[in-house]
Amino acid sequence: DVLDVGQGLAVLVRTAEHALLYDTGPLYSAEANAGQRVVVPFLRAVGVRQIDTLVVSHRDKDHSGGLGAVQAHGSIGRTLSSLPELNGELCASGQSWEWDGIRFAVLHPVADDYAAQPKKRKKPNNLSCVVRVDSGHASLLLAGDIEAPDERALLARSANTLRSDVLVVPHHGGRGSSTAEFTAAVAPQHAVFSVGYRNSFGHPRPDVLERYAASRLWRTDRDGALRIVLG
């Protein structure tokens, strides 16, 4: 379920017996965030009382703004993130697990990305946790806010494993992401843009939409929340 959180991202992935939450949506104001307004009410509505794995892709408030409300909702079995200060584990390429026959794999960043000297340290977008979900029959790629350099790094490391039926498009369809080489390697049948209605960034950018011309396009600002079933 790609939730309609406005300009931000929150995705709930459910298998037969487990649940993963990828990002917690944006901080709307000092008094309101997507965790309390959208994510937690949705978890309650679908009966998710425990999040087996919480992934906070990166620090930006449109992805992590609802974190406190989600943490207060109930039990969280495991936390993966690119935030060294957050309790849990740092996400890193090579991490993988299987739930109910569904395979999850972290593709980005690599462990060395966290060890860079301060002046060379990557900005939050470039450390986004990228997770691929594979049912054996269909697949989903959650790409956070990675940008062109990270897409090139992924292609160099994992070009043969990027192809996915569904792509939650990186960086909401921003100009600095979705290079032609990356979109060709993923070749999604469905491209999902999590964007806010009339957002000030102009996401998704027209030139980015053109690169997904071969895919069916979905937008939370137009289509609302989206439920995707991997056959």
Side-chain angles (χ1 to χ4, degrees):
D1 293 283
V2 182
L3 305 187
D4 182 9
V5 294
Q7 184 65 21
L9 183 65
V11 182
L12 179 66
V13 180
R14 288 177 287 164
T15 68
E17 300 291 341
H18 297 84
L20 175 144
L21 181 65
Y22 183 94
D23 284 341
T24 63
L27 180 72
Y28 299 134
S29 70
E31 294 79 29
N33 61 75
Q36 64 185 198
R37 296 287 181 87
V38 181
V39 180
V40 169
F42 185 80
L43 294 174
R44 288 175 177 153
V46 297
V48 174
R49 297 180 180 178
Q50 171 169 315
I51 298 169
D52 296 284
T53 296
L54 170 65
V55 178
V56 183
S57 67
H58 64 298
R59 181 179 288 107
D60 287 358
K61 290 299 184 183
D62 57 332
H63 291 252
S64 66
L67 177 59
V70 169
Q71 289 173 322
H73 165 65
S75 175
I76 297 174
R78 180 188 190 190
T79 298
L80 289 172
S81 79
S82 60
L83 287 67
E85 70 274 15
L86 186 62
N87 289 335
E89 305 168 55
L90 292 175
C91 58
S93 177
Q95 293 166 327
S96 65
W97 64 95
E98 188 172 304
W99 290 337
D100 310 314
I102 310 300
R103 184 169 177 80
F104 295 76
V106 178
L107 304 182
H108 186 81
V110 296
D112 287 348
D113 288 335
Y114 297 107
Q117 295 299 315
K119 290 184 178 180
K120 297 182 179 180
R121 193 165 294 157
K122 294 191 174 190
K123 64 181 183 179
N125 282 356
N126 304 128
L127 287 173
S128 291
C129 307
V130 176
V131 178
R132 187 172 184 271
V133 184
D134 188 354
S135 74
H137 301 282
S139 53
L140 162 71
L141 188 65
L142 300 164
D145 274 359
I146 59 169
E147 299 177 351
D150 317 297
E151 293 176 356
R152 289 193 291 270
L154 272 170
L155 287 166
R157 291 195 309 267
S158 311
N160 295 331
T161 61
L162 288 177
R163 185 173 295 274
S164 300
D165 298 283
V166 181
L167 170 66
V168 178
V169 174
H171 207 184
H172 319 282
R175 181 179 287 132
S177 302
S178 295
T179 59
E181 295 80 6
F182 178 79
T183 56
V186 181
Q189 295 179 35
H190 300 270
V192 179
F193 297 85
S194 183
V195 289
Y197 176 64
R198 297 183 68 179
N199 67 85
S200 61
F201 304 100
H203 295 162
R205 306 293 297 187
D207 54 324
V208 172
L209 288 171
E210 290 178 7
R211 292 177 211 146
Y212 292 101
S215 306
R216 183 168 182 180
L217 306 183
W218 303 90
R219 299 171 50 156
T220 56
D221 62 338
R222 179 190 67 196
D223 304 310
L226 298 161
R227 174 161 295 169
I228 299 155
V229 180
L230 298 182

